[in-house]
Amino acid sequence: MLTEIPAAEGVAEAIVARPSNGEGPFPGVILYMDAFGLRPRIQEMAQRIADWGYVVLAPNVFYREGTAAELAPGTDMTTPEGRAAAGKAAFPRVGRLTTDKAQPDIDAWVAALRTLDGVAPGPIGTFGYCMGARLAVRTATAHPETVAACGGFHGGGLATDAPDSPHLGLGHASARFVFGHADHDRSMDPDTVARLGEALDAAGLEATNEIYAGAPHGYSMADTSAFHAEATDRHFRELRALLDGTLKG
């Protein structure tokens, strides 16, 4: 069930997942989707995390380009060919979501999370997949007084030479960070992982920044050919430890 929330340039659809059991209020967290958009796999992941005791907001960050249904993959992504075909439509959207568009949206997502029923006051968490990892980091660096936990999984472009590279803002952050990088990932090679680690250290942040051996880019997405069950389970364990350790203390 999609709901609508205010965005920087209009209204965006979003998945909102709440715990199946327990009495609220619950800490709020923002899930940033991968390039393939809001779809059943993101709903499944959001609900699994919600059942740990969180209210999860997953916005359609590509709302300027269409609704979740309009942007949903039109092919079976469980084959490499199908995933590549879906990527021809999806991947260009990532480049069009420039920092000057993403940053005001991030402010809107944080504000929207606060207005959801059952969200506890206090710190929030954020985490993302693929290009969503960049959005998660930007959320943590833009809202250091609010974001206590930040996770990024099979992210790309987290520490580049660009003047708006996400890692350059880490000095403003106060969150605890967990990164689970894909192995042999052209968008996040070992040198880039090391650069990110150096920035985390320089900022004095508590962080883990590891490459998941054998896990391809996109490993957590069970509806694609990149799915890697062991890496996905590891990411859920590390994400839960991050959120529980920062938001339930």
Side-chain angles (χ1 to χ4, degrees):
M1 179 73 178
L2 293 172
T3 189
E4 292 187 337
I5 58 174
E9 295 183 40
V11 174
E13 293 171 299
I15 291 169
V16 176
R18 293 184 169 85
S20 302
N21 298 291
E23 292 293 324
F26 302 98
V29 298
I30 300 172
L31 184 168
Y32 287 110
M33 65 199 198
D34 65 348
F36 296 119
L38 297 185
R39 59 196 193 281
R41 175 55 178 167
I42 300 298
Q43 176 71 58
E44 292 167 7
M45 296 172 79
Q47 189 58 55
R48 177 168 176 166
I49 294 159
D51 285 337
W52 300 341
Y54 299 95
V55 176
V56 182
L57 174 68
N60 174 18
V61 302
F62 297 138
Y63 69 94
R64 294 176 182 84
E65 307 227 9
T67 66
E70 289 168 345
L71 302 180
T75 61
D76 177 359
M77 297 192 295
T78 58
T79 67
E81 297 78 13
R83 185 174 183 271
K88 288 181 180 178
F91 298 150
R93 297 180 200 129
V94 178
R96 292 193 292 267
L97 184 60
T98 52
T99 304
D100 64 326
K101 292 179 179 176
Q103 203 63 59
D105 282 339
I106 284 168
D107 300 339
W109 312 144
V110 172
L113 181 65
R114 291 294 195 197
T115 68
L116 296 178
D117 290 342
V119 173
I124 68 170
T126 182
F127 52 96
Y129 303 88
C130 179
M131 58 92 193
R134 294 198 294 275
L135 298 176
V137 173
R138 294 193 194 284
T139 304
T141 58
H143 294 271
E145 74 292 345
T146 300
V147 178
C150 181
F153 303 96
H154 51 83
L158 293 169
T160 72
D161 293 328
D164 61 350
S165 175
H167 80 291
L168 297 176
L170 287 170
H172 300 293
S174 59
R176 184 188 305 174
F177 287 80
V178 169
F179 292 102
H181 303 291
D183 203 355
H184 297 97
D185 188 343
R186 288 176 298 175
S187 65
M188 203 68 195
D189 63 26
D191 289 343
T192 309
V193 172
R195 178 190 280 191
L196 176 61
E198 290 165 2
L200 291 162
D201 289 344
L205 295 165
E206 184 177 353
T208 60
N209 181 45
E210 298 185 3
I211 295 172
Y212 289 6
H217 183 82
Y219 60 75
S220 69
M221 297 300 158
D223 59 350
T224 80
S225 59
F227 180 61
H228 189 288
E230 183 180 351
T232 299
D233 289 344
R234 178 180 174 183
H235 121 271
F236 277 126
R237 290 194 304 272
E238 295 186 0
L239 177 59
R240 185 170 190 174
L242 170 70
L243 297 178
D244 287 356
T246 53
L247 303 181
K248 292 187 176 181

